Amino acid sequence: ADFNYGADEYDAEGNEEPKALPEGSETMPYIDESPTMSPQLSARGQESGDGISPTPTDGLSTGGERDAGKGLEMRKLVLSGFLASEEIYINQLEALLLPMKPLKATATTSQPVLTLQQIETIFYKIQDIYEIHKEFYDSLCPKVQQWDSNVTMGHLFQKLASQLGVYKAFVDNYKIALETAEKCSQSNYQFQKISEELKVKGPKDSKESHTSVTMEALLYKPIDRVTRSTLVLHDLLKHTPADHPDYPLLQDALRISQNFLSSINEDIDPRRTAVTTPKGETRQLVKDGFLVELSEGSRKLRHVFLFTDVLLCAKLKKTAVGKHQQYDCKWYVPLADLVFPSPEESEHCPQVHVIPDHELEDMKMKISAIKSEVQKEKANKGQSRAIERLKKKMFENEFWLLLNSPAIPFRIHNRNGKSYLFLLSSDYERSEWREAIQKLQKKDLQAFVLSSVELQVLTGSCFKLRTVHNIPVTSNKDDDESPGLYGFLHVIVHSAKGFKQSANLYCTLEVDSFGYFVSKAKTRVFRDTTEPQWNEEFEIELEGSQSLRILCYEKCYDKTKLNKDNNEIVDKIMGKGQIQLDPQAVQTKNWHMDVIEMNGIKVEFSMKFTSRDMSLKRTPSKKQTGVFGVKISVVTKRERSKVPYIVRQCIEEVEKRGIEEVGIYRISGVATDIQALKAVFDANNKDILVMLSDMDINAIAGTLKLYFRELPEPLLTDRLYPAFMEGIALSDPAAKENCMMHLLRSLPDPNLITFLFLLEHLKRVAEKEPINKMSLHNLATVFGPTLLRPSEGESKAHLTLASDIWSHDVMAQVQVLLYYLQHPPISFTELKRNTLYFSTDV
């Protein structure tokens, strides 16, 4: 069965909810073109009033479908499901046509219920649509009932697609048809009674002989149907062998249907209306999406809707099974009353409770681990029950992450008093919302208060108008959707031009991981210029990323511009832009140059991508001079030192001026600076100390990490790696202590002394956590894999999926380092003296 948790099953507090699709639509719908599972094959696609008999898809594993026999079997299931819903659709059209004849008959009498013109408008093209589908159904039904794997029916779908023009005419007339029907039922009681209860015949094999449906709901069915036919074509193609005679015909039908859908969506889009504004103009939905609101001290997931003249914050209501899904309005602010408080105006509020980074990192690790379990289950053709259970767990974890990671405050203030606070994970999104609202506020807007009925109608329209249907978590993605990129994206931000006047300018880079965007890198501020030349390179870790965003800011040094919600100075966004990360285009060895245009500003940048398995390689240096890529024992022997000079110098510099730097070791330094430092250390240049004292501290921290990452074998050695993995997994504290200390003792002296030296430094960094925000856990996350990850030959043995090895092994590597970081001070001499080494805590 299809697994797809939507926002629909979860209300804002994360409780599961039953799911039902809308009965009908009072407003012009937006037709969904996205290829998801066929509604006939998933329980979600069943409409409350339709009574579709569920298709027996249980027990079908998707793993083995590649063989043609299974594909054809699935094909039959898809078709029989579609046929069942086609029968219901024909019954619905029949029910619509039923009152048309008697209405026409009375139209020419002295007491007409409706005029001929009104009948023509309301029932426009229904007869034609009915005939097309009746013919299609009558031809397809015998083929499915007397099933034979060689049966061909692509020509039927091709013919159906070629007749879509009728739907175009229906769609163009739909809005007027609805309005006419509504006016007529208000003015004519007889017609009102007819249109409130139209009897739809139940399917042949169903117990219910009839169901009552409103005319409005039935008029919506043809619009819904076009989307469904297109989805079925997707499914049929998926399960039709490429050499089957139907394949090219179905492809052609799908192409026609998709082109048709996108053409009518363009027509529909501007008309996505929801009742009218106080001035009598049509109120339209401009933007909607999920945001986290801080309400009474706790985080709630809300669906926020921006209409032409009002911002409405809603959550999905819990509804009984089969009941029409509804939103519940939490609050609304007319745009005429909406202001963004400037920093000096906003009242001082309690600080936003920020979840510690290590908890978020832990959760990401958990999610990655579950992802690999899902992959393994699928690869081993595991039970769909087990996969469902894992996916549900993954959804819960991703939902938690989505709720708890945002920390960028976005405050909305109503002139008449109340203020609301959203938390976003991306400044890009914050500015998109702000700009969309400000653009609407340029119009002449009136303040108003909605009556309870108006509010009900407006909130009711949200469900049909929304453009974002699912909570943005990866568990909502279909299996065949791109999983995004895993690995490292190298970006050089070159320069920007197009600024009207000189300013202090910098850029930030955001990428999406785990379904939401976060800021990953920031250039230095280029002062007082209209043409900044940054030329800075960054290495950004991608975790299922699909897009890169660049934001360009003007730096503000005015302390009065502090945001009271998080005590940070608010810089002005000059422009922002986004590009898709196309796996084909990005995955080349060479740099790929590009330009993002934003508000008249052009930012030039280059990028290249290294997949995670490439970036896991430790490559020994060909030359034995220098320090990078050279065995630590060779370097210490050559230097006659216990700890390599590079390690001592970098640590000394970080302790001198970087220990209070926010995100030290986590924020990536500029890659060109790091390469320059690498070159001087390798050449043992006498200017090293001068260069170190001038260099950005993040570049020095980055050079230290790079040194450990490029060691030909990890600091804690390949030989002992399996034993470290086993030791950390022990549950008895005494046994673990004994084992972990014995392992340290087994390290060669240069490795051990260097490790203990680094350990004490990292503990000193973590003591400043209130200022630098780097906890022991954060530092373990950064350094664990760098110090433990096996070199190429070793990791080959257990190299499977890049994301797999990443999650399982990395978790353990982080835990090993964390164990030593949390341990009371370990002395080299004590360690060597004692064969059994217990700490007092055990």
Side-chain angles (χ1 to χ4, degrees), residues 10-274:
Y10 263 70
D11 76 345
E13 272 72 52
N15 304 312
E16 268 197 66
E17 290 207 354
K19 166 83 182 83
L21 284 179
E23 274 274 305
S25 162
E26 351 160 318
T27 47
M28 204 56 192
Y30 184 73
I31 295 185
D32 179 16
E33 298 168 63
S34 57
T36 50
M37 193 66 178
S38 149
Q40 280 64 54
L41 279 184
S42 78
R44 287 190 63 196
Q46 299 183 13
E47 297 200 12
S48 44
D50 288 0
I52 297 179
S53 40
T55 317
T57 53
D58 302 342
L60 276 180
S61 80
T62 48
E65 280 167 26
R66 282 175 197 82
D67 65 271
K70 195 57 176 269
L72 291 165
E73 181 56 30
M74 277 299 289
R75 198 160 161 256
K76 183 187 175 186
L77 284 170
V78 172
L79 280 169
S80 50
F82 183 57
L83 207 57
S85 72
E86 189 70 8
E87 182 196 344
I88 287 159
Y89 179 48
I90 289 167
N91 290 348
Q92 289 166 341
L93 293 171
E94 255 177 3
L96 254 184
L97 289 170
L98 201 64
M100 192 171 84
K101 286 190 182 120
L103 284 170
K104 272 189 175 166
T106 64
T108 48
T109 64
S110 57
Q111 290 193 318
V113 178
L114 301 182
T115 65
L116 279 172
Q117 179 62 51
Q118 287 168 329
I119 295 168
E120 185 55 39
T121 306
I122 294 170
F123 297 97
Y124 186 65
K125 294 291 177 195
I126 302 285
Q127 184 71 44
D128 298 5
I129 292 174
Y130 170 76
E131 282 162 12
I132 289 168
H133 281 270
K134 185 85 176 81
E135 184 192 345
F136 171 77
Y137 178 83
D138 291 343
S139 317
L140 184 62
C141 197
K143 287 180 181 286
V144 177
Q145 280 169 350
Q146 289 127 39
W147 182 253
D148 164 5
S149 58
N150 298 320
V151 72
T152 59
M153 42 69 212
H155 57 290
L156 297 178
F157 278 93
Q158 201 181 22
K159 184 175 177 186
L160 187 65
S162 69
Q163 294 169 310
L164 283 171
V166 176
Y167 276 92
K168 173 90 173 94
F170 175 84
V171 167
D172 287 343
N173 179 71
Y174 173 76
K175 192 169 175 235
I176 308 160
L178 264 196
E179 285 169 2
T180 311
E182 204 170 309
K183 277 186 198 140
C184 294
S185 31
Q186 282 166 2
S187 58
N188 188 305
Y189 178 66
Q190 237 179 318
F191 181 68
Q192 187 186 347
K193 281 202 66 119
I194 295 170
S195 63
E196 273 175 3
E197 279 200 30
L198 290 167
K199 295 274 184 279
V200 179
K201 244 184 357 201
K204 290 190 197 76
D205 51 358
S206 100
K207 293 186 181 65
E208 286 182 43
S209 57
H210 285 86
T211 48
S212 292
V213 187
T214 65
M215 183 174 286
E216 183 194 354
L218 288 179
L219 282 171
Y220 178 68
K221 299 297 176 193
I223 285 180
D224 202 27
R225 196 70 202 161
V226 189
T227 312
R228 291 203 170 189
S229 315
T230 313
L231 293 176
V232 165
L233 285 167
H234 269 286
D235 289 341
L236 277 177
L237 265 173
K238 213 187 280 178
H239 302 296
T240 301
D243 55 2
H244 193 286
D246 267 350
Y247 196 81
L249 301 175
L250 291 171
Q251 258 182 330
D252 191 45
L254 180 60
R255 183 184 52 75
I256 300 170
S257 304
Q258 277 178 325
N259 289 345
F260 173 73
L261 270 186
S262 47
S263 75
I264 63 171
N265 273 343
E266 280 163 24
D267 296 345
I268 289 172
D269 207 19
R271 299 197 213 141
R272 300 167 62 188
T273 57

Side-chain angles (χ1 to χ4, degrees), residues 17 60 125 227 349 389 416 439 565 568 661 798 828:
E17 290 207 354
L60 276 180
K125 294 291 177 195
T227 312
C349 349
R389 206 168 46 245
N416 307 324
K439 189 173 168 190
D565 290 314
E568 284 176 15
E661 180 81 13
H798 35 227
F828 177 75

